[in-house]
Amino acid sequence: MVSEFMESYTEWMKERTSWRTYKNEKLEKVDRKLFEEFIAEHHVTPFGNEPRFRLVDNFSEDGKIGTYGFIRGAQHFLVGAVRESPMSIEDLGYLFEKIILYATGLGLGTCWLGGTFTRKPAFEKMELGEDETIPAISPVGYKSDRGLIGKAIRWTAGSRNRKPWSELFYRDNFESPLNNGEGGVYSVGLEMVRIAPSSSNNQPWRVVLDGDSVHFYHDEKEYSTHKQLDLGIAMCHFDLANKEQGIPGVWSKESISDTRYVATWSKL
Ligand SMILES: Cc1cc2nc3c(=O)[nH]c(=O)nc-3n(C[C@H](O)[C@H](O)[C@H](O)COP(=O)(O)O)c2cc1C
């Protein structure tokens, strides 16, 4: 209910889980309006790329709905498109996750789906430019019971599990891992990174605290498109959680010569 609606991204981060089974119901007008207004009003990304988003109806004129992997019953999809340029996939990941969190606040189910969706008929409505891609979509709708398939996927993807702090977060360099809660004023932000969604629950983000600069890296393996999205999601959680703690910051690229380095957040 709108009257009880409290805007707290940090709470929504804790609430969000991937949802794969939906009621066969279209969004009510009020929910659709709120959702589309949010998309229209939120544009700011860490590196200034301008991804665009649309809520696309997932049904053709004969009323049939498209199917995507294990997603059942979804009537609408959030679709994100962006021009290819440096940090554009991370920027899309950042803003896409912000929208996902807002949907969570509205009580709607979502599930990140990474892949190449450009050729699916439903997404022709995006009217993609030559240099634009659609790296991710998500169903948006009213949740139905997870069902056996949903439960099995959560089990195999290890959805409930997250790596411990000491594998993800460090102080000064990768020689000094942090234990749970040892991030000082950044502890909430780091915990929100830890619980973020990632492709196959890989949690490829690594974070090094360096005073009031916080450096984001990816793990040892190749930096795939999925991983770029994962890093954008982590940046979103860290940034928004800090803001809600009264600690605003800015993003930059520093001259750090480590192939895993992605971006730095610095306190304002
Ligand atoms: C970039 C990205 C791509 C994903 N792709 C898929 C997908 O194709 N199919 C799927 O069922 N889940 C997908 N997921 C959802 C992850 O499996 C899920 O976020 C992870 O297991 C953690 O579970 P949780 O979201 O419930 O916390 C994706 C997540 C991300 C961030």
Side-chain angles (χ1 to χ4, degrees), residues 22-178:
Y22 294 83
K23 290 186 181 159
N24 284 316
E25 291 170 14
K26 294 176 190 166
L27 284 187
E28 287 178 21
K29 266 193 190 142
V30 58
D31 287 333
R32 183 165 194 142
K33 187 165 176 283
L34 285 168
F35 188 81
E36 289 186 325
E37 278 172 4
F38 186 88
I39 293 177
E41 285 164 11
H42 290 78
H43 299 286
V44 179
T45 56
F47 289 93
N49 289 289
E50 296 175 354
R52 58 191 184 91
F53 300 93
R54 213 181 270 183
L55 189 67
V56 169
D57 295 334
N58 183 32
F59 33 81
S60 53
E61 268 153 32
D62 60 6
K64 282 198 179 142
I65 64 167
T67 53
Y68 304 92
F70 293 104
I71 305 301
R72 297 277 172 270
Q75 305 280 317
H76 312 279
F77 277 85
L78 171 65
V79 181
V82 72
R83 282 209 177 81
E84 286 178 47
S85 67
M87 298 303 281
S88 65
I89 303 290
E90 289 85 348
D91 275 352
L92 180 139
Y94 178 102
L95 212 45
F96 198 105
E97 177 66 1
K98 194 170 178 182
I99 299 168
I100 292 261
L101 293 171
Y102 182 72
T104 306
L106 290 176
L108 301 172
T110 58
C111 180
W112 272 89
L113 299 172
T116 311
F117 301 97
T118 316
R119 283 181 297 278
K120 296 272 186 190
F123 306 131
E124 278 170 14
K125 290 170 199 149
M126 289 297 283
E127 292 158 2
L128 281 192
E130 277 291 303
D131 50 353
E132 275 187 315
T133 56
I134 297 177
I137 63 171
S138 168
V140 176
Y142 302 115
K143 299 174 189 175
S144 177
D145 182 36
R146 281 192 201 280
L148 276 181
I149 293 176
K151 282 178 188 149
I153 290 179
R154 282 185 69 73
W155 176 255
T156 49
S159 298
R160 283 159 189 276
N161 306 330
R162 293 295 192 268
K163 292 184 167 124
W165 273 55
S166 56
E167 281 183 37
L168 303 173
F169 308 138
Y170 303 83
R171 190 178 296 283
D172 299 332
N173 55 53
F174 285 109
E175 305 304 311
S176 323
L178 291 176

Side-chain angles (χ1 to χ4, degrees), residues 16-20 70-71 111-115 117 135-136 146 153-154 157-160 162 195-202 225-227 229-230 233:
R16 186 215 55 82
T17 61
S18 293
W19 207 271
R20 296 179 177 85
F70 293 104
I71 305 301
C111 180
W112 272 89
L113 299 172
F117 301 97
R146 281 192 201 280
I153 290 179
R154 282 185 69 73
S159 298
R160 283 159 189 276
R162 293 295 192 268
I195 65 171
S198 59
S199 178
S200 307
N201 202 22
N202 275 332
T225 304
H226 276 184
K227 229 174 253 187
L229 291 169
D230 295 340
I233 295 168

Side-chain angles (χ1 to χ4, degrees), residues 131-256:
D131 50 353
E132 275 187 315
T133 56
I134 297 177
I137 63 171
S138 168
V140 176
Y142 302 115
K143 299 174 189 175
S144 177
D145 182 36
R146 281 192 201 280
L148 276 181
I149 293 176
K151 282 178 188 149
I153 290 179
R154 282 185 69 73
W155 176 255
T156 49
S159 298
R160 283 159 189 276
N161 306 330
R162 293 295 192 268
K163 292 184 167 124
W165 273 55
S166 56
E167 281 183 37
L168 303 173
F169 308 138
Y170 303 83
R171 190 178 296 283
D172 299 332
N173 55 53
F174 285 109
E175 305 304 311
S176 323
L178 291 176
N179 289 313
N180 192 355
E182 287 181 350
V185 292
Y186 299 117
S187 290
V188 173
L190 291 176
E191 180 61 11
M192 293 307 113
V193 170
R194 200 179 76 90
I195 65 171
S198 59
S199 178
S200 307
N201 202 22
N202 275 332
Q203 307 157 67
W205 41 75
R206 303 289 179 267
V207 182
V208 178
L209 293 188
D210 172 13
D212 283 321
S213 291
V214 183
H215 308 299
F216 282 67
Y217 296 79
H218 64 83
D219 60 6
E220 296 291 341
K221 294 165 223 149
E222 175 212 359
Y223 196 38
S224 62
T225 304
H226 276 184
K227 229 174 253 187
Q228 290 174 280
L229 291 169
D230 295 340
L231 262 291
I233 295 168
M235 289 161 65
C236 171
H237 280 214
F238 191 72
D239 204 17
L240 297 181
N242 283 341
K243 265 190 201 132
E244 288 185 348
Q245 303 278 306
I247 322 171
V250 284
W251 292 98
S252 63
K253 277 264 191 197
E254 301 298 310
S255 48
I256 293 177

